[in-house]
Amino acid sequence: MNATENPAVQSYLKKVSSLLECPRQRKKEILRGIELLIGEHLHPDGSVRYEEIVAAIGTPEEVVEAYIGTEDPVKLSQSLKRRKLFWIAGILIVVLLAVMAALYAFDIADKIAYRDGYFVETIVPDSSMDLDPGSVVGVY
């Protein structure tokens, strides 16, 4: 049995991955290193329990704290800022597309409403003209 096939290993790596805030490539490297560490503690049949993993290398929180302590804080901060900007830009794009789709839908609905019908326009003479009030013309 491979280490990644073990449910306890998968659970441990998933917890570490969720706690780890770093670039994707660096996260893959760290998780691969943790997987190799866990592989050293596998039983001959390839099994290991979650508690044995925690006893051997520490809790996921401890592993993430150790990682944060070894990384350059400036690079880590820049990475987090980029990720935040990426999410903000993505949300703005989605909102913009939703507004554009709504406006397009309203425009189509307006065009459909007048496609087969007609509308009434009432022409009222200018007050400077000497026409009697009953001379309002309706165009259909």
Side-chain angles (χ1 to χ4, degrees):
M1 175 183 274
N2 190 339
T4 55
E5 296 173 359
N6 188 310
V9 175
Q10 289 176 353
S11 175
Y12 188 87
L13 291 175
K14 189 174 184 178
K15 179 71 175 174
V16 170
S17 179
S18 69
L19 294 171
L20 205 53
E21 294 292 335
C22 62
R24 185 180 308 157
Q25 188 63 30
R26 182 67 177 131
K27 184 182 280 192
K28 285 181 182 179
E29 292 172 7
I30 292 169
L31 292 175
R32 182 69 185 135
I34 293 171
E35 184 180 337
L36 292 174
L37 277 173
I38 293 171
E40 296 173 2
H41 298 283
L42 289 177
H43 297 289
D45 63 351
S47 65
V48 68
R49 292 184 342 212
Y50 189 88
E51 295 79 20
E52 293 173 328
I53 297 170
V54 171
I57 61 175
T59 65
E61 292 81 9
E62 292 170 345
V63 171
V64 170
E65 285 180 28
Y67 158 73
I68 290 173
T70 62
E71 287 298 308
D72 180 19
V74 174
K75 286 183 181 180
L76 190 60
S77 173
Q78 289 173 346
S79 171
L80 293 176
K81 284 180 185 177
R82 264 186 265 130
R83 180 181 288 181
K84 185 177 179 181
L85 288 175
F86 174 78
W87 280 105
I88 290 171
I91 289 170
L92 287 175
I93 289 171
V94 168
V95 167
L96 180 64
L97 288 174
V99 168
M100 289 173 56
L103 291 174
Y104 181 73
F106 286 132
D107 185 49
I108 293 296
D110 190 43
K111 287 179 181 176
I112 289 173
Y114 291 109
R115 181 180 61 191
D116 297 326
Y118 61 92
F119 60 94
V120 176
E121 182 176 347
T122 304
I123 300 174
V124 180
D126 188 11
S127 62
S128 65
M129 299 175 74
D130 285 337
L131 297 175
D132 61 41
S135 64
V136 175
V137 178
V139 177
Y140 298 97

mmCIF file of all heavy atoms in Angstrom, residues 21 76-94:
data_model
loop_
_atom_site.group_PDB
_atom_site.id
_atom_site.type_symbol
_atom_site.label_atom_id
_atom_site.label_comp_id
_atom_site.label_asym_id
_atom_site.label_seq_id
_atom_site.Cartn_x
_atom_site.Cartn_y
_atom_site.Cartn_z
ATOM 1 N N GLU A 21 -0.744 28.337 4.027
ATOM 2 C CA GLU A 21 -0.965 29.500 3.153
ATOM 3 C C GLU A 21 0.353 29.851 2.470
ATOM 4 O O GLU A 21 1.207 30.506 3.060
ATOM 5 C CB GLU A 21 -1.461 30.699 3.967
ATOM 6 C CG GLU A 21 -2.819 30.512 4.583
ATOM 7 C CD GLU A 21 -3.926 30.466 3.554
ATOM 8 O OE1 GLU A 21 -3.752 31.032 2.449
ATOM 9 O OE2 GLU A 21 -4.957 29.841 3.832
ATOM 10 N N LEU A 76 6.339 35.438 1.817
ATOM 11 C CA LEU A 76 5.059 34.896 2.274
ATOM 12 C C LEU A 76 3.981 35.970 2.247
ATOM 13 O O LEU A 76 2.863 35.734 1.785
ATOM 14 C CB LEU A 76 5.214 34.315 3.682
ATOM 15 C CG LEU A 76 4.058 33.511 4.232
ATOM 16 C CD1 LEU A 76 3.774 32.313 3.343
ATOM 17 C CD2 LEU A 76 4.370 33.051 5.642
ATOM 18 N N SER A 77 4.328 37.168 2.699
ATOM 19 C CA SER A 77 3.378 38.284 2.688
ATOM 20 C C SER A 77 2.992 38.664 1.265
ATOM 21 O O SER A 77 1.818 38.897 0.976
ATOM 22 C CB SER A 77 3.996 39.484 3.406
ATOM 23 O OG SER A 77 3.178 40.604 3.279
ATOM 24 N N GLN A 78 3.956 38.719 0.369
ATOM 25 C CA GLN A 78 3.674 39.039 -1.031
ATOM 26 C C GLN A 78 2.775 37.988 -1.655
ATOM 27 O O GLN A 78 1.854 38.306 -2.410
ATOM 28 C CB GLN A 78 4.972 39.157 -1.820
ATOM 29 C CG GLN A 78 5.785 40.370 -1.490
ATOM 30 C CD GLN A 78 7.147 40.371 -2.171
ATOM 31 O OE1 GLN A 78 7.591 39.339 -2.687
ATOM 32 N NE2 GLN A 78 7.820 41.506 -2.149
ATOM 33 N N SER A 79 3.022 36.746 -1.337
ATOM 34 C CA SER A 79 2.205 35.660 -1.877
ATOM 35 C C SER A 79 0.761 35.779 -1.403
ATOM 36 O O SER A 79 -0.182 35.607 -2.185
ATOM 37 C CB SER A 79 2.784 34.314 -1.446
ATOM 38 O OG SER A 79 1.920 33.276 -1.783
ATOM 39 N N LEU A 80 0.586 36.090 -0.131
ATOM 40 C CA LEU A 80 -0.772 36.235 0.413
ATOM 41 C C LEU A 80 -1.473 37.448 -0.188
ATOM 42 O O LEU A 80 -2.677 37.397 -0.467
ATOM 43 C CB LEU A 80 -0.720 36.339 1.936
ATOM 44 C CG LEU A 80 -0.253 35.069 2.658
ATOM 45 C CD1 LEU A 80 -0.137 35.327 4.154
ATOM 46 C CD2 LEU A 80 -1.190 33.913 2.388
ATOM 47 N N LYS A 81 -0.746 38.533 -0.411
ATOM 48 C CA LYS A 81 -1.336 39.722 -1.033
ATOM 49 C C LYS A 81 -1.772 39.418 -2.460
ATOM 50 O O LYS A 81 -2.852 39.823 -2.885
ATOM 51 C CB LYS A 81 -0.343 40.882 -1.027
ATOM 52 C CG LYS A 81 -0.194 41.540 0.317
ATOM 53 C CD LYS A 81 0.802 42.681 0.258
ATOM 54 C CE LYS A 81 1.040 43.257 1.637
ATOM 55 N NZ LYS A 81 2.050 44.322 1.612
ATOM 56 N N ARG A 82 -0.925 38.692 -3.208
ATOM 57 C CA ARG A 82 -1.277 38.323 -4.571
ATOM 58 C C ARG A 82 -2.521 37.450 -4.601
ATOM 59 O O ARG A 82 -3.401 37.632 -5.437
ATOM 60 C CB ARG A 82 -0.116 37.590 -5.247
ATOM 61 C CG ARG A 82 0.740 38.509 -6.076
ATOM 62 C CD ARG A 82 1.782 37.753 -6.857
ATOM 63 N NE ARG A 82 2.995 37.783 -6.032
ATOM 64 C CZ ARG A 82 3.735 36.739 -5.718
ATOM 65 N NH1 ARG A 82 3.447 35.568 -6.178
ATOM 66 N NH2 ARG A 82 4.785 36.864 -4.951
ATOM 67 N N ARG A 83 -2.595 36.519 -3.679
ATOM 68 C CA ARG A 83 -3.759 35.630 -3.617
ATOM 69 C C ARG A 83 -5.020 36.435 -3.303
ATOM 70 O O ARG A 83 -6.070 36.223 -3.907
ATOM 71 C CB ARG A 83 -3.548 34.551 -2.561
ATOM 72 C CG ARG A 83 -4.734 33.602 -2.460
ATOM 73 C CD ARG A 83 -4.529 32.562 -1.416
ATOM 74 N NE ARG A 83 -3.519 31.622 -1.893
ATOM 75 C CZ ARG A 83 -3.123 30.571 -1.217
ATOM 76 N NH1 ARG A 83 -3.637 30.333 -0.038
ATOM 77 N NH2 ARG A 83 -2.226 29.755 -1.694
ATOM 78 N N LYS A 84 -4.906 37.372 -2.384
ATOM 79 C CA LYS A 84 -6.053 38.199 -2.027
ATOM 80 C C LYS A 84 -6.492 39.055 -3.220
ATOM 81 O O LYS A 84 -7.686 39.159 -3.510
ATOM 82 C CB LYS A 84 -5.694 39.098 -0.841
ATOM 83 C CG LYS A 84 -6.832 39.917 -0.311
ATOM 84 C CD LYS A 84 -6.406 40.731 0.905
ATOM 85 C CE LYS A 84 -7.528 41.571 1.436
ATOM 86 N NZ LYS A 84 -7.115 42.365 2.594
ATOM 87 N N LEU A 85 -5.530 39.662 -3.912
ATOM 88 C CA LEU A 85 -5.855 40.460 -5.100
ATOM 89 C C LEU A 85 -6.492 39.611 -6.188
ATOM 90 O O LEU A 85 -7.404 40.047 -6.885
ATOM 91 C CB LEU A 85 -4.604 41.163 -5.629
ATOM 92 C CG LEU A 85 -4.081 42.320 -4.788
ATOM 93 C CD1 LEU A 85 -2.765 42.846 -5.365
ATOM 94 C CD2 LEU A 85 -5.106 43.433 -4.704
ATOM 95 N N PHE A 86 -6.006 38.395 -6.340
ATOM 96 C CA PHE A 86 -6.573 37.484 -7.326
ATOM 97 C C PHE A 86 -8.045 37.208 -7.020
ATOM 98 O O PHE A 86 -8.891 37.253 -7.909
ATOM 99 C CB PHE A 86 -5.776 36.177 -7.335
ATOM 100 C CG PHE A 86 -6.367 35.116 -8.206
ATOM 101 C CD1 PHE A 86 -6.209 35.165 -9.573
ATOM 102 C CD2 PHE A 86 -7.082 34.061 -7.650
ATOM 103 C CE1 PHE A 86 -6.756 34.185 -10.382
ATOM 104 C CE2 PHE A 86 -7.636 33.084 -8.448
ATOM 105 C CZ PHE A 86 -7.471 33.148 -9.818
ATOM 106 N N TRP A 87 -8.361 36.944 -5.770
ATOM 107 C CA TRP A 87 -9.753 36.669 -5.387
ATOM 108 C C TRP A 87 -10.625 37.904 -5.560
ATOM 109 O O TRP A 87 -11.764 37.816 -6.024
ATOM 110 C CB TRP A 87 -9.831 36.143 -3.953
ATOM 111 C CG TRP A 87 -9.496 34.692 -3.880
ATOM 112 C CD1 TRP A 87 -8.345 34.136 -3.427
ATOM 113 C CD2 TRP A 87 -10.317 33.610 -4.320
ATOM 114 N NE1 TRP A 87 -8.401 32.776 -3.549
ATOM 115 C CE2 TRP A 87 -9.606 32.427 -4.087
ATOM 116 C CE3 TRP A 87 -11.584 33.532 -4.883
ATOM 117 C CZ2 TRP A 87 -10.128 31.173 -4.400
ATOM 118 C CZ3 TRP A 87 -12.100 32.278 -5.190
ATOM 119 C CH2 TRP A 87 -11.367 31.124 -4.948
ATOM 120 N N ILE A 88 -10.107 39.056 -5.191
ATOM 121 C CA ILE A 88 -10.887 40.294 -5.349
ATOM 122 C C ILE A 88 -11.158 40.548 -6.830
ATOM 123 O O ILE A 88 -12.283 40.875 -7.215
ATOM 124 C CB ILE A 88 -10.155 41.484 -4.699
ATOM 125 C CG1 ILE A 88 -10.180 41.344 -3.166
ATOM 126 C CG2 ILE A 88 -10.778 42.810 -5.122
ATOM 127 C CD1 ILE A 88 -9.320 42.344 -2.437
ATOM 128 N N ALA A 89 -10.144 40.390 -7.669
ATOM 129 C CA ALA A 89 -10.329 40.592 -9.106
ATOM 130 C C ALA A 89 -11.325 39.586 -9.670
ATOM 131 O O ALA A 89 -12.182 39.937 -10.487
ATOM 132 C CB ALA A 89 -8.985 40.465 -9.833
ATOM 133 N N GLY A 90 -11.250 38.363 -9.225
ATOM 134 C CA GLY A 90 -12.179 37.344 -9.687
ATOM 135 C C GLY A 90 -13.613 37.667 -9.310
ATOM 136 O O GLY A 90 -14.535 37.530 -10.128
ATOM 137 N N ILE A 91 -13.810 38.114 -8.086
ATOM 138 C CA ILE A 91 -15.156 38.472 -7.633
ATOM 139 C C ILE A 91 -15.675 39.667 -8.417
ATOM 140 O O ILE A 91 -16.839 39.700 -8.825
ATOM 141 C CB ILE A 91 -15.150 38.748 -6.113
ATOM 142 C CG1 ILE A 91 -14.945 37.427 -5.361
ATOM 143 C CG2 ILE A 91 -16.437 39.425 -5.670
ATOM 144 C CD1 ILE A 91 -14.683 37.586 -3.883
ATOM 145 N N LEU A 92 -14.825 40.665 -8.650
ATOM 146 C CA LEU A 92 -15.250 41.830 -9.436
ATOM 147 C C LEU A 92 -15.631 41.447 -10.862
ATOM 148 O O LEU A 92 -16.616 41.955 -11.406
ATOM 149 C CB LEU A 92 -14.146 42.889 -9.448
ATOM 150 C CG LEU A 92 -13.942 43.649 -8.137
ATOM 151 C CD1 LEU A 92 -12.742 44.586 -8.252
ATOM 152 C CD2 LEU A 92 -15.179 44.424 -7.761
ATOM 153 N N ILE A 93 -14.882 40.544 -11.457
ATOM 154 C CA ILE A 93 -15.205 40.096 -12.812
ATOM 155 C C ILE A 93 -16.542 39.373 -12.836
ATOM 156 O O ILE A 93 -17.369 39.599 -13.730
ATOM 157 C CB ILE A 93 -14.064 39.219 -13.369
ATOM 158 C CG1 ILE A 93 -12.844 40.087 -13.666
ATOM 159 C CG2 ILE A 93 -14.506 38.453 -14.622
ATOM 160 C CD1 ILE A 93 -11.603 39.314 -14.019
ATOM 161 N N VAL A 94 -16.778 38.522 -11.859
ATOM 162 C CA VAL A 94 -18.052 37.799 -11.796
ATOM 163 C C VAL A 94 -19.215 38.771 -11.620
ATOM 164 O O VAL A 94 -20.252 38.654 -12.282
ATOM 165 C CB VAL A 94 -18.022 36.746 -10.669
ATOM 166 C CG1 VAL A 94 -19.406 36.197 -10.379
ATOM 167 C CG2 VAL A 94 -17.074 35.619 -11.030
#
